[in-house]
Amino acid sequence: MDPKIDSPSETLDQLFSCLICYRRAHDAHLLPCCSKICCYKCAKRWLDQKAACPHCRAPLRSSQLVRCRFMAEITAEVDRLQQKKKTEEAPASELCAEHNAPIQYYCTTCRVPICADCAMFGNAHKGHAFERLSAVYEQHVAGLGEEVERVEAHLQGVEDLVAGVKANIDGLVKTQQERENAVKVTAETAVQRLHEQLREKCQSLNEQKHLMSEDAQGIRRTLREIQMQIHSAPQSVLIRHSSGLKERLRTVQSKSLSEYLRAPVDPIFDDTEIFPPFHSSTFIIHGFPALRDSPDSEILYSDPMNAFAGVSWRLKVYPNGNGVARGLYLSVFLEMVKGRPEQLKYEYQIELVNVRHPGRSISRSFSSDFEVNECWGYNRFAPLGALEKNGFYGPDLSLHLRFLVRSPSYPRLVSEFSGYVGALEQSNAALDQESVTMQAHIRALEEELRALRGDTEKSGGEAEEAEEEGVRAGEGSLLMLPEEVGATRAFWARSWRTSLRPRR
């Protein structure tokens, strides 16, 4: 048989296999929308989760399935005819090449099948031990049967894993459908985002399913070939090739079931997002025409706008243009004054308000990756010559520039606030530590001051006593003049005040 052409049994398996579990359909039912066959249990489990055909996705309910009553009878009859054909086509006993006699014995010494003449009269097997070929054949068949059972159990394990992955995918699809129905009322962009999440989650599972299905098909094909050889090959041929067949059977089960196992993908989808509102501010430039020719007004900055999470922005305006647009266009840029240390994307809009005709205002929107002190904007925002002509000047020849900034999504905004709060907590912790250090330093100074006061009071007491003794001595011997007494008191007072000064 040409190996490129499928055997009848393979063709039958393909024709009568279930669309969902890939096995031969059990209690086969027909999908009326696309004429595909599947097991009733598989189809019902699918339709209970999603009322759509698993093949063509057309609307379908389990009550619309058509039972194929003839399927079981056809498959049973075909299996019976195939088994009968194998029995009828089983080859006769192999003949000995030397004596042209049927091979009925097995030389256990040489491990080769032989005929009766080889055993009785041949010199090659003289004195060797023999067994009947049929007994040896049964032993080999039993050994191969055990290997076949182990491989079948291995195949069942692989198929169960495939079914588990399929159930995981079905759960993901079901969860995705629930989320989709919940978010359709908000925005179509949210629905698209859920589809992208589902595609990413199912990608790895589909790869697992594909690999395991290929392994299962290879194991099934090997089993079918070996079983066919067991039932159709001559006994001596089977005996000669039994070790190779065993090796093939061991090879197909060399990959353990644990190698197929991977962590299942949780059916968790992010909630849909609604874009945060813009934070806005207006920059009014008074007397704009006079500023164009002023060398001190080459660049004008607006007051910073504190937007969110510690991020602040300002407009950077070149009244007479910047670079190649100098003298021709108004150049306007948005600058991040304060923000997160990493580069982040923001959406922004800059609007030149038309004071006379608000409907003719010039507005430009974009999104860029910003870092602190980085600018993004437009060199050629608006032609300078058209500002007055088109009514952009206010009563005092002022120009009104409005700018709006927002984070692109609520999750990003929450992330920024979390980072900002974390930075504030770190700053507060550093301030608390500094406060503890300062308090310890103050306590040390207070203790030193108390010690100095104690020494001073002691010195002051001794000075007063010495002064009193000098007065008493003067009364007895030498009399101090009043100015001398005053000078002495002033000296000790200065000494006491000096001792109270804190030491460096």
Side-chain angles (χ1 to χ4, degrees):
M1 180 180 292
D2 188 348
K4 296 183 179 179
I5 301 176
D6 293 339
S7 65
S9 59
E10 290 181 348
T11 304
L12 182 66
D13 287 341
Q14 293 176 0
L15 290 175
F16 296 152
S17 63
C18 173
L19 173 68
I20 298 174
C21 68
Y22 301 109
R23 303 176 186 174
R24 183 174 290 187
H26 179 71
D27 190 13
H29 278 65
L30 187 72
L31 303 176
C33 50
C34 57
S35 300
K36 296 293 181 180
I37 294 175
C38 59
C39 305
Y40 179 71
K41 289 184 178 179
C42 296
K44 190 173 186 308
R45 184 169 64 249
W46 176 278
L47 295 174
D48 288 345
Q49 296 178 359
K50 182 178 180 180
C53 174
H55 181 259
C56 66
R57 307 299 181 185
L60 183 64
R61 298 188 301 274
S62 57
S63 60
Q64 296 176 300
L65 298 174
V66 180
R67 186 176 184 182
C68 301
R69 302 179 184 276
F70 60 88
M71 186 68 66
E73 300 174 0
I74 290 178
T75 54
E77 183 63 21
V78 171
D79 290 342
R80 188 184 67 80
L81 292 175
Q82 287 181 346
Q83 186 62 33
K84 182 179 179 182
K85 183 178 180 181
K86 291 178 182 179
T87 304
E88 292 175 351
E89 293 179 351
S93 300
E94 186 179 4
L95 298 178
C96 177
E98 182 178 354
H99 302 99
N100 198 27
I103 296 177
Q104 297 177 343
Y105 296 93
Y106 182 77
C107 177
T108 56
T109 304
C110 300
R111 298 182 179 275
V112 292
I114 58 175
C115 67
D117 291 345
C118 292
M120 298 296 295
F121 309 108
N123 294 326
H125 302 281
K126 189 174 182 179
H128 291 185
F130 308 104
E131 291 185 21
R132 296 194 65 84
L133 186 66
S134 58
V136 178
Y137 173 78
E138 293 298 332
Q139 294 174 5
H140 283 76
V141 169
L144 290 171
E146 293 176 359
E147 293 293 337
V148 168
E149 290 178 358
R150 284 192 285 269
V151 172
E152 287 177 344
H154 183 75
L155 174 62
Q156 182 63 42
V158 174
E159 291 178 344
D160 290 343
L161 290 176
V162 173
V165 173
K166 183 65 173 58
N168 193 184
I169 295 176
D170 294 343
L172 287 172
V173 173
K174 180 179 178 181
T175 305
Q176 186 270 337
Q177 290 294 327
E178 294 174 354
R179 295 287 186 177
E180 179 176 332
N181 293 333
V183 301
K184 278 184 177 179
V185 296
T186 55
E188 187 62 27
T189 54
V191 175
Q192 181 63 31
R193 185 173 181 273
L194 285 177
H195 280 295
E196 292 175 357
Q197 292 183 51
L198 176 64
R199 183 165 55 254
E200 293 174 359
K201 289 177 178 291
C202 289
Q203 182 177 359
S204 60
L205 290 176
N206 284 324
E207 291 175 356
Q208 294 179 43
K209 175 187 171 185
H210 178 71
L211 293 175
M212 286 188 283
S213 298
E214 285 186 345
D215 288 351
Q217 291 177 3
I219 294 173
R220 193 181 294 110
R221 187 163 45 250
T222 302
L223 272 176
R224 191 179 297 114
E225 293 174 359
I226 293 177
Q227 289 174 342
M228 184 178 297
Q229 293 188 38
I230 292 174
H231 294 295
S232 62
Q235 295 179 356
S236 59
V237 174
L238 180 64
I239 292 172
R240 280 200 304 268
H241 297 125
S242 63
S243 60
L245 296 177
K246 286 182 180 179
E247 185 62 29
R248 289 184 64 186
L249 290 172
R250 295 190 189 100
T251 301
V252 297
Q253 58 180 325
S254 60
K255 188 174 183 179
S256 63
L257 297 180
S258 60
E259 296 182 43
Y260 292 99
L261 293 176
R262 295 184 184 177
V265 178
D266 295 329
I268 300 175
F269 291 81
D270 294 337
D271 292 334
T272 56
E273 302 170 3
I274 301 174
F275 293 118
F278 279 103
H279 292 261
S280 63
S281 181
T282 302
F283 182 28
I284 301 177
I285 305 174
H286 299 280
F288 180 79
L291 297 175
R292 287 182 53 187
D293 301 326
S294 174
D296 297 332
S297 304
E298 183 178 358
I299 303 176
L300 302 177
Y301 292 97
S302 69
D303 293 333
M305 175 189 69
N306 297 321
F308 43 80
V311 182
S312 61
W313 308 85
R314 68 179 179 183
L315 279 187
K316 182 179 182 180
V317 181
Y318 291 82
N320 201 36
N322 178 52
V324 295
R326 188 172 184 82
L328 299 175
Y329 289 88
L330 174 69
S331 300
V332 184
F333 299 88
L334 179 67
E335 179 181 0
M336 176 186 280
V337 182
K338 291 191 300 183
R340 300 289 300 158
E342 67 271 17
Q343 188 180 67
L344 295 174
K345 182 180 290 294
Y346 293 92
E347 297 178 359
Y348 58 95
Q349 178 179 341
I350 302 176
E351 181 181 6
L352 178 59
V353 180
N354 192 310
V355 179
R356 299 179 186 176
H357 309 287
R360 300 179 184 177
S361 299
I362 299 175
S363 178
R364 301 186 187 278
S365 303
F366 204 66
S367 62
S368 302
D369 294 326
F370 281 89
E371 292 181 349
V372 177
N373 298 325
E374 187 175 25
C375 299
W376 286 96
Y378 308 89
N379 269 331
R380 301 179 180 182
F381 188 83
L384 292 172
L387 295 180
E388 182 177 6
K389 181 175 62 177
N390 295 332
F392 286 96
Y393 288 154
D396 57 347
L397 299 179
S398 60
L399 206 62
H400 295 240
L401 285 165
R402 185 167 178 259
F403 58 103
L404 307 90
V405 189
R406 72 177 179 187
S407 189
S409 64
Y410 274 122
R412 243 289 303 285
L413 186 60
V414 171
S415 176
E416 290 183 58
F417 271 109
S418 299
Y420 181 59
V421 170
L424 290 178
E425 290 176 347
Q426 292 179 359
S427 178
N428 287 338
L431 290 175
D432 291 341
Q433 183 62 35
E434 186 177 354
S435 175
V436 170
T437 304
M438 291 295 294
Q439 290 176 1
H441 184 63
I442 291 173
R443 285 195 297 270
L445 291 176
E446 289 176 346
E447 292 176 359
E448 186 176 357
L449 181 59
R450 282 195 295 271
L452 290 173
R453 285 177 176 173
D455 294 342
T456 303
E457 291 175 357
K458 183 177 180 181
S459 300
E462 294 176 352
E464 290 178 357
E465 291 178 0
E467 182 179 352
E468 290 178 358
E469 291 178 358
V471 170
R472 286 196 295 270
E475 291 176 354
S477 59
L478 178 63
L479 181 64
M480 295 181 65
L481 296 175
E483 56 270 17
E484 292 178 345
V485 174
T488 303
R489 290 183 180 275
F491 169 77
W492 286 112
R494 285 196 303 273
S495 301
W496 182 77
R497 284 196 298 271
T498 303
S499 64
L500 291 179
R501 294 177 183 173
R503 300 177 182 176
R504 293 185 178 179

